[in-house]
C-alpha cells in the first residue's frame, strides 16, 4: 500500500504519476459507463408497436433539408412571417395611434390645463414623457404581438435546428461554429439574448465570432423600424394592393443581407484577427413537436411581448423627457436640439442620412425601439421651430401620416429611407447588448470592436450608396 | 438516385468502411472510433459505442453534415467526424 | 400504465388511485427569494422536457424552445409541498458531465459542489440509452437520485414499452414515468422527491464496478487521500476518478482550496459553486 497524500499538491502530483502508470485504463473506465447504459437500455426497452411518427418526421426533413428546397423554404418562411406581421400590424397600429396619440393625448392636455399646471410641467410630462411612451406602444406592440408568437411557433415546432443543419457548411467555410446558426436566430428575437446564447459554443475564438456578428440579426427593436420605413418608402412605390408584399420583400432583403454580413464578417475576422479552424460539433435534430398554439400565444404574449414592451416603455419615458428638454431649453434663442441637429446635419448629409437621424441614434442607444419615436419628435420640434407649417396639427393614425411628417417636414427622400433601413441593420448594439457583450467577454477590446465595427460599416455603406446615387443623378 | 445506391454491388474484399462512406438509406454497425480525447467522448455522449446501429438518413441543404439515426435520435455529423468512425455494413 | 418501483416501504402510500392528490397539496411559488428547506437539482439531456417539468412544479413559465442548448443558465424556482419549501434548480441540458463546455461545467459543479438534497435526472423515454449515460454519471456523483422517465407518452406513441420497475432495479434508484406536458406523473414525482429529501426513502445507486485491478488500486489510493484531506466530502470516489483522468477543473478546485470550502460550507448556498463559471 502506498503512502497517503497530506497536502493538495501531493495529491495532485500523486494522481498525475498514477495516471502515467495506468496508461489507457483510466479512460476505459469512463467509457464503461456508456457500454453499461447501452446494455441496460436494451434490457428495459421493447419495441411493441409501429414507429409511426418517425416516418412523418422523415418526410418533413426530406423536404425542409433538401438541396433544392431547403434554403428557399427557409427564406420563404421568414418572408411569410414578415408578411403576416406587416399586413396584420397596420390596422391595430392605427387604432392604438388614434387612442393614445389622439384621444388620450388631447385629454391629458385638457386635464393639465384644467388644473392650471405650469406650461413646462404639462410639456415635460405630456409632450415629452407621455408622447414617447405612447409612440413606442403604438409602433411596437402590434408587430411584436404578431411576430413573436409566429417565431415561437417555428421554434417550438423544431425548425431552428434544421436551419442550423442547413447552414452548417456555410458557417464552417466562414471558420465559424455551426451552433452560431442557433445564436443568430435567437438574435432575431433579441441580441442580448443571442449573445448570452453563445455560451453553447465551447471554443473562445468561435464564441467571439458569434458575439461580434450577432448584431447583424435584426432584433425585435429594429423589426418595427424596418417595417415602418419600408411601408412608407418602398410600399409607396407600388400600387396599394402590392404595397405589403413590396414592403415585406424590402425587409426580407435587409434581413437576408444581415445573414450575409454574419457570414462575411465571420469570414473576414477568421482570416485576420481571429485566425483558426472551425471546430466540429454534433448537432441533434430533435423530433418535430406539434406546436401547442394556444399555450404559445399565451406565453409569447406574456413573456416576450409584454416584457420587451415594458423595457421599451421604461427606456422611452426618460428618452422622451430628454428630447423635450433638448427641444425646449434655448441657448441664445435656439433650442439645444436645433443646435445639435444643425451641427450633425452636414455629417448626416455626407452619408445620406440627416442630423435628426444621427441625434436620434445617440438618444436611442439604450433601446433600438425608440429610434422612430425619437426621430418623429425631433423632426416635429426642429421642423416647427424652423417655421415650416407651424400651424398644421399632424395626426399619426397611419403610416401615411407619419410619412407626411418625415417627407414634408423632415425633407426625407427614398434614399434617406433606404439608408435608414441599412443603418438600422448596421449600427452599434443597444446599451443592454453592449453590457451583455462585456459581461460575456470580460474584454474591453472586443466589446469596443463589437460596438464600433457595425457603425463604421453602416456609415461606409450608406455613404457609398449616397455618393453613387448622386453621381448617377438618381437624387 | 437512392435506388441506384441500394443496388450497387458491395465490394467483397472490403469489410470495414468509414461512416463517411455510408450512403443515405443504408445501415451500419459501429466497429470502433478512430479518435481520442474529447472528440471521442463527445461522440460517445451521443450513444456512439461499438455495436451501435447507425442509419444514414439525409444530407443537409448544402451537402455536408449528414443526419444519422442513432438509437432513436437524429444526429448531424460533419464529414471530418464521420471519416474517423469505422463501421461494418449491415445487409438488409 | 407503468408501476413505480421505489426502494422503500413507503411506495404503498404512494400508489392510491387518486390522481392529483399530491398536486392538491402543491403550492407553486415561482421565483421567491424566501427561505427553503431542500434544494432539488434538475439535470438532463437537452430536449427532454426538463424545462416543462420545472414549469409544472414551480408554476413559472420559462419558455421551452425545441432546440438543444436552449437553457444556458440555471433557473431557480420554489414550490411548497406538505410542510416544506423546495428550491428547484433547472440546470443546463447536457449530454454528459465530463466534457469542458461552460454549460456542462455549470451542471456538473452544481451537482458535485452545490450539494442538492435530491437530484432529479430527467430522461427522454424515447431515447433511453443515450440519456442513461448522464444518469449513470450523476449517480456516480450523487447519492440521492430520482429518475424522471419523461415523454412516456411519446414513447407509447412510438410503440416503445419501458419497464420502469426493471429500470429502477438496474439503477438502484426510484424511476417515475411522467408526461410533464400534460401533467401526467407529476404527482408521483413530487411525492418521491419529498420522501427522498426527508429521508423516508433511501436510494442506493448502482455504481460501476472497477474491473481493472491496477486502476481499482489507484482509485482506492487517491480516494483515501481525498477522504483524509477533505473529511466529509460526499463524492470522494468520483473526484478520485476525475483526478486520475486529468480533469483540469477538478485539479483547479483542489489547488485553489475550492474543494475544501465545499466541505466546510455545510449549509452554504448551493449557488456559490457557480459563481466562478456563470457570468
Amino acid at each position: 500500500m502506498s503512502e497517503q497524500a497530506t497536502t493538495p499538491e501531493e495529491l495532485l502530483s500523486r494522481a498525475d504519476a498514477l495516471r502515467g502508470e495506468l496508461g489507457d485504463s483510466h479512460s476505459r473506465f469512463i467509457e464503461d459507463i456508456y457500454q453499461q447504459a447501452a446494455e441496460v437500455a436494451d434490457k428495459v426497452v421493447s419495441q411493441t408497436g409501429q414507429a409511426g411518427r418517425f416516418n412523418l418526421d422523415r418526410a418533413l426533413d426530406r423536404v425542409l433539408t433538401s438541396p433544392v428546397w431547403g434554403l428557399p423554404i427557409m427564406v420563404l418562411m421568414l418572408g411569410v412571417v414578415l408578411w403576416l406581421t406587416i399586413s396584420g400590424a397596420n390596422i391595430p397600429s392605427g387604432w392604438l395611434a388614434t387612442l393614445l396619440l389622439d384621444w388620450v393625448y388631447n385629454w391629458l392636455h385638457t386635464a393639465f390645463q384644467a388644473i392650471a399646471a405650469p406650461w413646462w410641467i404639462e410639456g415635460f410630462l405630456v409632450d415629452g414623457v407621455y408622447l414617447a411612451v405612447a409612440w413606442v406602444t403604438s409602433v411596437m406592440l402590434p408587430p411584436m404581438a404578431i411576430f413573436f408568437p409566429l417565431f415561437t411557433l417555428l421554434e417550438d415546432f423544431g425548425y431552428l435546428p434544421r436551419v442550423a443543419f442547413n447552414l452548417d457548411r456555410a458557417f464552417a467555410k466562414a471558420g465559424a461554429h455551426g451552433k452560431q446558426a442557433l445564436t443568430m436566430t435567437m438574435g432575431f428575437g433579441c441580441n442580448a439574448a443571442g449573445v448570452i446564447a453563445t455560451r453553447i459554443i465551447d471554443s473562445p475564438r468561435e464564441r467571439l465570432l458569434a458575439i461580434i456578428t450577432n448584431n447583424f440579426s435584426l432584433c425585435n427593436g429594429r423589426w418595427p423600424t424596418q417595417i415602418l420605413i419600408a411601408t412608407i418608402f418602398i410600399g409607396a412605390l407600388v400600387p396599394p394592393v402590392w404595397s405589403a408584399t413590396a414592403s415585406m420583400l424590402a425587409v426580407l432583403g435587409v434581413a437576408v443581407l444581415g445573414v450575409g454580413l454574419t457570414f462575411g464578417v465571420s469570414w473576414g475576422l477568421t482570416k485576420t484577427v481571429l485566425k483558426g479552424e472551425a471546430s466540429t460539433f454534433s448537432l441533434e435534430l430533435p423530433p418535430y413537436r406539434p406546436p401547442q398554439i394556444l399555450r404559445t400565444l399565451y406565453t409569447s404574449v406574456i413573456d416576450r411581448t409584454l416584457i420587451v414592451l415594458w423595457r421599451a416603455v421604461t427606456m422611452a419615458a426618460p428618452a422622451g423627457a430628454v428630447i423635450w428638454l433638448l427641444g425646449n431649453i434655448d441657448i441664445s434663442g435656439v433650442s439645444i436640439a436645433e443646435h445639435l441637429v444643425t451641427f450633425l446635419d452636414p455629417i448626416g448629409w455626407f452619408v445620406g442620412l440627416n442630423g435628426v437621424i444621427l441625434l436620434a441614434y445617440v438618444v436611442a442607444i439604450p433601446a433600438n425601439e425608440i429610434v422612430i419615436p425619437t426621430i418623429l419628435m425631433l423632426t416635429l420640434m426642429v421642423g416647427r421651430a424652423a417655421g415650416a407649417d407651424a400651424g398644421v396639427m399632424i395626426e399619426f393614425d397611419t403610416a401615411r401620416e407619419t410619412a407626411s411628417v418625415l417627407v414634408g417636414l423632415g425633407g426625407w427622400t427614398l434614399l434617406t429611407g433606404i439608408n435608414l433601413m441599412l443603418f438600422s441593420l448596421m449600427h452599434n448594439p443597444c446599451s443592454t447588448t453592449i453590457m451583455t457583450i462585456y459581461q460575456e467577454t470580460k474584454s474591453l477590446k472586443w466589446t469596443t470592436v463589437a460596438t464600433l465595427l457595425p457603425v463604421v460599416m453602416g456609415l461606409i455603406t450608406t455613404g457609398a450608396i449616397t455618393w453613387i446615387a448622386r453621381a448617377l443623378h438618381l437624387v | 438516385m437512392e435506388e441506384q445506391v441500394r443496388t450497387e454491388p458491395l465490394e467483397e474484399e472490403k469489410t470495414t468502411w468509414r461512416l463517411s462512406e455510408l450512403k443515405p438509406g443504408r445501415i451500419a454497425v459501429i466497429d470502433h472510433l478512430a479518435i481520442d480525447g474529447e472528440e471521442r467522448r463527445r461522440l460517445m455522449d451521443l450513444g456512439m459505442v461499438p455495436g451501435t446501429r447507425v442509419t444514414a438518413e439525409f444530407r443537409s441543404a448544402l451537402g455536408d453534415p449528414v443526419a444519422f439515426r442513432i438509437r432513436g435520435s437524429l444526429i448531424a455529423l460533419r464529414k471530418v467526424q464521420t471519416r474517423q468512425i469505422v463501421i461494418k455494413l449491415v445487409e438488409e | 400504465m407503468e408501476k413505480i418501483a421505489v426502494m422503500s416501504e413507503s411506495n404503498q402510500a404512494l400508489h392510491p388511485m387518486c390522481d392529483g392528490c399530491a398536486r392538491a397539496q402543491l403550492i407553486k411559488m415561482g421565483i421567491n427569494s424566501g427561505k427553503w428547506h431542500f434544494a432539488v437539482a434538475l439535470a438532463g439531456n437537452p430536449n427532454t422536457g426538463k424545462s416543462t417539468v420545472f414549469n409544472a412544479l414551480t408554476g413559472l413559465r420559462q419558455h421551452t424552445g425545441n432546440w438543444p442548448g436552449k437553457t444556458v443558465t440555471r433557473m431557480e424556482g420554489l414550490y411548497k409541498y406538505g410542510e416544506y419549501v423546495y428550491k428547484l434548480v433547472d440546470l443546463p441540458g447536457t449530454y454528459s458531465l465530463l466534457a469542458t463546455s461552460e454549460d456542462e461545467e455549470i451542471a456538473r459543479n452544481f451537482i458535485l459542489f452545490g450539494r442538492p438534497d435530491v437530484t432529479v435526472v430527467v430522461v427522454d423515454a424515447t431515447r433511453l440509452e443515450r440519456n442513461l449515460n448522464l444518469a449513470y454519471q450523476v449517480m456516480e456523483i450523487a447519492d440521492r437520485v430520482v429518475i424522471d422517465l419523461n415523454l412516456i407518452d411519446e414513447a407509447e406513441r412510438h410503440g416503445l414499452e419501458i419497464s420502469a420497475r426493471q429500470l429502477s432495479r438496474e439503477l438502484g434508484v426510484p424511476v417515475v414515468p411522467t408526461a410533464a406536458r400534460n401533467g401526467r406523473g407529476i404527482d408521483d414525482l413530487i411525492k418521491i422527491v419529498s420522501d427522498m429529501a426527508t429521508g423516508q426513502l433511501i436510494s442506493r445507486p448502482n455504481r460501476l464496478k472497477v474491473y481493472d485491478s491496477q486502476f481499482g488500486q489507484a482509485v482506492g489510493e487517491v480516494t483515501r487521500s481525498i477522504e483524509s484531506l477533505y473529511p466529509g466530502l460526499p463524492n470522494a470516489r468520483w473526484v478520485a476518478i476525475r483526478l486520475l483522468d486529468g480533469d483540469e477543473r477538478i485539479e483547479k478546485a483542489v489547488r485553489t482550496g475550492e474543494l475544501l470550502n465545499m466541505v466546510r460550507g455545510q449549509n452554504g448556498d448551493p449557488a456559490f459553486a457557480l459563481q466562478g463559471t456563470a457570468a
Side-chain angles (χ1 to χ4, degrees):
Chain A
M1 183 160 216
S2 11
E3 75 288 1
Q4 272 187 15
T6 50
T7 64
E9 285 71 31
E10 251 179 76
L11 174 69
L12 288 179
S13 60
R14 185 69 192 131
D16 242 16
L18 283 171
R19 184 165 56 249
E21 289 168 29
L22 286 169
D24 246 3
S25 63
H26 68 277
S27 55
R28 243 181 288 136
F29 170 76
I30 296 295
E31 287 176 9
D32 283 349
I33 287 183
Y34 297 93
Q35 208 68 52
Q36 172 90 3
E39 279 162 25
V40 170
D42 286 341
K43 240 184 267 179
V44 302
V45 181
S46 50
Q47 178 87 43
T48 50
Q50 275 294 310
R53 265 202 36 226
F54 281 139
N55 295 329
L56 180 64
D57 274 25
R58 191 170 298 169
L60 266 172
D61 271 328
R62 285 271 146 81
V63 180
L64 295 179
T65 65
S66 119
V68 183
W69 299 109
L71 298 182
I73 286 177
M74 224 173 64
V75 177
L76 189 74
M77 290 250 207
L78 187 56
V80 168
V81 169
L82 287 178
W83 187 84
L84 287 173
T85 308
I86 292 170
S87 52
N90 230 347
I91 297 164
S93 263
W95 292 341
L96 275 177
T98 312
L99 176 72
L100 298 176
L101 296 170
D102 202 359
W103 296 353
V104 177
Y105 176 76
N106 288 332
W107 179 86
L108 281 173
H109 266 303
T110 320
F112 271 90
Q113 276 150 22
I115 59 165
W119 72 269
W120 52 272
I121 288 190
E122 183 183 337
F124 182 83
L125 290 177
V126 180
D127 292 318
V129 176
Y130 172 77
L131 200 57
V133 169
W135 247 319
V136 162
T137 311
S138 65
V139 169
M140 287 201 53
L141 184 57
M144 279 192 337
I146 301 174
F147 182 82
F148 274 159
L150 290 175
F151 188 80
T152 312
L153 283 177
L154 279 182
E155 192 189 337
D156 285 351
F157 177 56
Y159 187 59
L160 297 195
R162 270 75 187 177
V163 171
F165 180 59
N166 280 338
L167 293 178
D168 185 63
R169 188 173 215 171
F171 278 107
K173 282 258 160 69
H177 199 287
K179 282 185 188 166
Q180 196 176 322
L182 289 171
T183 62
M184 182 183 79
T185 41
M186 287 323 282
F188 284 139
C190 169
N191 294 135
V195 168
I196 292 174
T198 62
R199 288 183 193 174
I200 59 175
I201 298 172
D202 312 338
S203 119
R205 183 190 75 86
E206 288 158 327
R207 197 170 162 211
L208 260 180
L209 288 179
I211 288 175
I212 293 170
T213 55
N214 196 271
N215 190 42
F216 296 120
S217 294
L218 282 178
C219 68
N220 63 63
R222 292 183 278 168
W223 288 113
T225 309
Q226 295 287 342
I227 290 168
L228 187 72
I229 300 299
T231 310
I232 291 173
F233 290 98
I234 313 283
L237 296 176
V238 295
V241 236
W242 296 105
S243 120
T245 310
S247 318
M248 179 273 283
L249 288 174
V251 178
L252 188 60
V254 174
V256 171
L257 174 67
V259 176
L261 287 171
T262 300
F263 288 125
V265 172
S266 298
W267 182 84
L269 290 170
T270 301
K271 294 285 169 232
T272 53
V273 283
L274 286 171
K275 288 201 176 93
E277 288 292 306
S279 57
T280 55
F281 80 108
S282 322
L283 175 75
E284 184 177 357
L285 303 174
Y288 290 104
R289 213 196 281 163
Q292 296 172 302
I293 295 177
L294 286 180
R295 187 174 297 180
T296 303
L297 280 180
Y298 177 78
T299 49
S300 64
V301 167
I302 301 293
D303 286 359
R304 288 190 165 180
T305 311
L306 290 187
I307 285 174
V308 172
L309 182 72
W310 176 243
R311 189 182 95 94
V313 165
T314 53
M315 297 293 180
V322 169
I323 298 164
W324 188 85
L325 291 175
L326 289 179
N328 287 278
I329 298 175
D330 290 356
I331 296 172
S332 51
V334 182
S335 72
I336 300 176
E338 238 175 301
H339 278 297
L340 289 170
V341 168
T342 318
F343 171 73
L344 289 170
D345 250 337
I347 308 170
W349 179 84
F350 190 78
V351 294
L353 298 166
N354 58 43
V356 166
I357 295 176
L358 293 183
L359 181 57
Y361 268 97
V362 175
V363 175
I365 285 175
N368 280 296
E369 290 85 342
I370 59 178
V371 164
I372 288 289
T374 310
I375 287 176
L376 287 173
M377 287 171 79
L378 284 172
T379 306
L380 279 175
M381 281 176 184
V382 177
R384 280 205 184 121
D389 271 344
V392 178
M393 182 63 206
I394 297 158
E395 290 170 19
F396 304 96
D397 291 6
T398 61
R400 198 162 45 82
E401 274 137 14
T402 310
S404 74
V405 177
L406 294 178
V407 178
L409 216 52
W412 289 39
T413 62
L414 174 62
L415 183 69
T416 325
I418 292 172
N419 279 341
L420 177 59
M421 287 178 76
L422 290 171
F423 192 67
S424 154
L425 175 68
M426 291 178 269
H427 71 89
N428 56 287
C430 70
S431 58
T432 310
T433 306
I434 295 174
M435 259 139 71
T436 310
I437 292 173
Y438 181 71
Q439 276 164 10
E440 297 293 316
T441 60
K442 296 268 180 270
S443 151
L444 212 54
K445 179 183 147 201
W446 290 114
T447 309
T448 314
V449 170
T451 307
L452 295 183
L453 183 73
V455 190
V456 173
M457 285 174 62
L459 291 176
I460 291 175
T461 309
T462 56
I465 288 176
T466 305
W467 286 98
I468 290 170
R470 283 173 190 160
L472 298 175
H473 299 290
L474 294 174
V475 283
Chain B
M1 168 81 187
E2 217 174 281
E3 286 312 304
Q4 278 178 355
V5 173
R6 277 178 209 278
T7 53
E8 218 169 73
L10 270 173
E11 292 175 54
E12 290 302 324
E13 68 278 10
K14 201 170 172 182
T15 51
T16 58
W17 298 65
R18 298 289 167 142
L19 189 56
S20 51
E21 299 170 282
L22 193 67
K23 297 279 187 324
R26 302 280 322 246
I27 304 173
V29 166
I30 294 180
D31 189 80
H32 65 277
L33 306 178
I35 2 168
D36 275 325
E38 206 176 300
E39 261 305 297
R40 180 188 178 85
R41 293 271 166 78
R42 287 209 176 279
L43 290 174
M44 297 191 89
D45 280 347
L46 298 167
M48 293 207 157
V49 288
T52 303
R53 274 165 73 97
V54 182
T55 315
E57 290 273 350
F58 50 85
R59 285 174 203 289
S60 92
L62 297 177
D64 183 15
V66 174
F68 296 91
R69 172 85 49 200
I70 300 159
R71 299 229 179 213
S73 25
L74 207 51
I75 313 278
L77 296 172
R78 286 182 184 164
K79 202 164 185 169
V80 286
Q81 293 169 291
T82 52
R83 265 203 291 260
Q84 295 169 304
I85 299 168
V86 182
I87 54 167
K88 284 190 182 123
L89 288 184
V90 172
E91 299 287 343
E92 263 163 294
Chain C
M1 181 162 166
E2 301 285 343
K3 288 247 158 48
I4 303 142
V6 282
M7 310 316 292
S8 87
E9 297 308 306
S10 69
N11 63 340
Q12 310 305 355
L14 192 145
H15 227 289
M17 305 300 292
C18 147
D19 222 33
C21 52
R23 237 177 304 172
Q25 301 170 46
L26 173 74
I27 301 165
K28 299 168 180 178
M29 298 168 80
I31 301 171
N32 188 324
S33 53
K35 283 201 163 65
W36 40 272
H37 302 97
F38 299 110
V40 179
L42 211 52
N45 277 200
N47 267 85
T48 51
K50 217 159 44 66
S51 299
T52 316
V53 174
F54 179 83
N55 290 348
L57 288 174
T58 58
L60 291 170
R61 294 178 311 264
Q62 194 191 1
H63 176 62
T64 53
N66 191 9
W67 52 284
K70 185 212 39 114
T71 309
V72 281
T73 49
R74 82 208 142 87
M75 182 86 187
E76 292 177 5
L78 295 184
Y79 70 89
K80 189 170 183 218
Y81 175 66
E83 50 196 311
Y84 297 112
V85 176
Y86 297 78
K87 180 164 88 165
L88 193 63
V89 181
D90 189 11
L91 299 172
T94 55
Y95 293 113
S96 82
L97 301 174
L98 301 171
T100 51
S101 69
E102 191 167 350
D103 43 357
E104 287 183 8
E105 214 171 287
I106 291 176
R108 199 259 308 269
N109 285 2
F110 189 80
I111 300 170
L112 189 56
F113 302 135
R115 300 182 151 215
D117 293 290
V118 179
T119 304
V120 177
V121 185
V122 182
V123 301
D124 178 349
T126 64
R127 282 163 293 186
L128 192 60
E129 178 263 349
R130 206 198 54 208
N131 282 254
L132 283 183
N133 288 337
L134 182 75
Y136 267 108
Q137 292 179 24
V138 170
M139 280 160 41
E140 283 288 332
I141 299 181
D143 289 318
R144 282 175 287 189
V145 176
V146 175
I147 303 289
D148 175 351
L149 189 61
N150 196 26
L151 301 176
I152 195 78
D153 50 340
E154 289 279 315
E156 284 161 4
R157 210 159 6 175
H158 286 159
L160 295 170
E161 201 173 282
I162 298 157
S163 166
R165 181 186 288 268
Q166 198 184 350
L167 182 60
S168 172
R169 252 200 318 270
E170 293 282 346
L171 302 179
V173 301
V175 175
V176 187
T178 64
R181 269 223 277 180
N182 41 43
R184 194 175 132 193
I186 294 294
D187 295 323
D188 299 336
L189 184 65
I190 294 165
K191 182 76 171 65
I192 297 259
V193 167
S194 122
D195 285 353
M196 194 171 279
T198 53
Q200 294 170 49
L201 176 64
I202 292 154
S203 66
R204 292 177 205 88
N206 282 338
R207 299 216 164 119
L208 233 53
K209 286 178 187 62
V210 179
Y211 293 107
D212 185 296
S213 63
Q214 201 196 351
F215 183 63
Q217 276 171 14
V219 172
E221 186 199 322
V222 178
T223 307
R224 279 190 301 277
S225 289
I226 293 169
E227 277 168 349
S228 71
L229 271 169
Y230 308 101
L233 189 75
N235 16 52
R237 187 178 105 118
W238 172 259
V239 174
I241 290 170
R242 296 311 298 145
L243 282 181
L244 286 171
D245 201 26
D247 187 321
E248 287 171 10
R249 183 65 185 79
I250 303 291
E251 285 174 354
K252 193 180 146 215
V254 171
R255 201 170 297 127
T256 60
E258 202 178 340
L259 210 55
L260 200 63
N261 293 335
M262 308 296 156
V263 188
R264 283 197 190 130
Q266 293 288 344
N267 45 11
D269 175 13
F272 79 103
L274 296 158
Q275 282 164 3
T277 49

